[in-house]
């Protein structure tokens, strides 16, 4: 009986240790947003010709500041999904010397986690 119990314990330990890689997929993980996460509705309110003050009121000040180029604002958001994907959204606003918005560029990138050259 003791031999049978130790045999079952060994098998259980083997199963549990081999399933550690799948535990991450089974456990609930919240989606994670980092940075200046903007909604599509808020981005659509931005118009060429608006001032820095108007945009700051709508979106807030960007978290990333480039002291050498104060006329360019970058809003960066990284959204990490529990389903193994990461989205990176970048909104770049370029102002003229009078702080008027002259150019707006929005890009979104989709990255797959855990796919590092395998």
């Amino acid at each position: 009986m003791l031999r049978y119990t130790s045999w079952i314990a060994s098998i259980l330990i083997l199963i549990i240790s081999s399933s550690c890689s799948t535990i991450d997929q089974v456990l609930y993980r919240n989606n994670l947003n980092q940075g200046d996460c903007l909604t599509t509705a808020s981005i659509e309110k931005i118009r060429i010709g608006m001032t820095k003050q108007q945009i700051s009121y709508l979106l807030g000040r960007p978290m990333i500041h480039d002291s050498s180029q104060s006329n360019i604002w970058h809003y960066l958001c990284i959204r990490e999904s529990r389903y193994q994907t990461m989205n990176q959204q970048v909104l770049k606003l370029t102002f003229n010397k009078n702080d008027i918005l002259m150019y707006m560029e929005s890009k979104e990138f989709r990255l797959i986690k855990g796919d590092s050259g395998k």
Side-chain angles (χ1 to χ4, degrees):
M1 182 71 173
L2 184 59
R3 187 173 200 163
Y4 180 71
T5 305
S6 64
W7 186 75
I8 289 188
S10 301
I11 290 176
L12 278 173
I13 290 172
L14 181 63
I15 290 172
I16 290 171
S17 65
S18 68
S19 67
C20 287
S21 62
T22 60
I23 286 178
D24 190 42
Q25 297 172 356
V26 174
L27 293 177
Y28 178 76
R29 292 178 50 193
N30 285 332
N31 293 337
L32 179 65
N33 295 329
Q34 295 179 326
D36 296 309
C37 295
L38 306 172
T39 63
T40 304
S42 63
I43 293 173
E44 288 175 349
K45 292 178 184 177
I46 303 302
R47 300 282 180 247
I48 300 296
M50 294 178 89
T51 65
K52 281 185 179 180
Q53 185 179 7
Q54 291 171 319
I55 293 172
S56 180
Y57 178 76
L58 290 173
L59 304 179
R61 301 281 293 183
M63 293 179 73
I64 300 173
H65 297 283
D66 186 355
S67 59
S68 65
Q69 294 182 338
S70 63
N71 62 334
I72 298 177
W73 285 5
H74 294 275
Y75 291 88
L76 174 67
C77 175
I78 299 173
R79 290 185 172 101
E80 185 175 349
S81 171
R82 61 182 247 187
Y83 299 109
Q84 304 300 319
T85 60
M86 282 178 56
N87 292 327
Q88 180 176 349
Q89 178 189 31
V90 179
L91 176 65
K92 179 181 174 183
L93 304 177
T94 305
F95 300 90
N96 66 11
K97 63 182 179 180
N98 297 322
D99 294 339
I100 304 295
L101 181 64
M102 300 305 293
Y103 180 73
M104 181 171 87
E105 180 181 9
S106 180
K107 294 181 182 178
E108 190 159 335
F109 305 97
R110 184 172 170 211
L111 309 168
I112 307 295
K113 294 189 300 187
D115 207 19
S116 56
K118 289 183 182 177

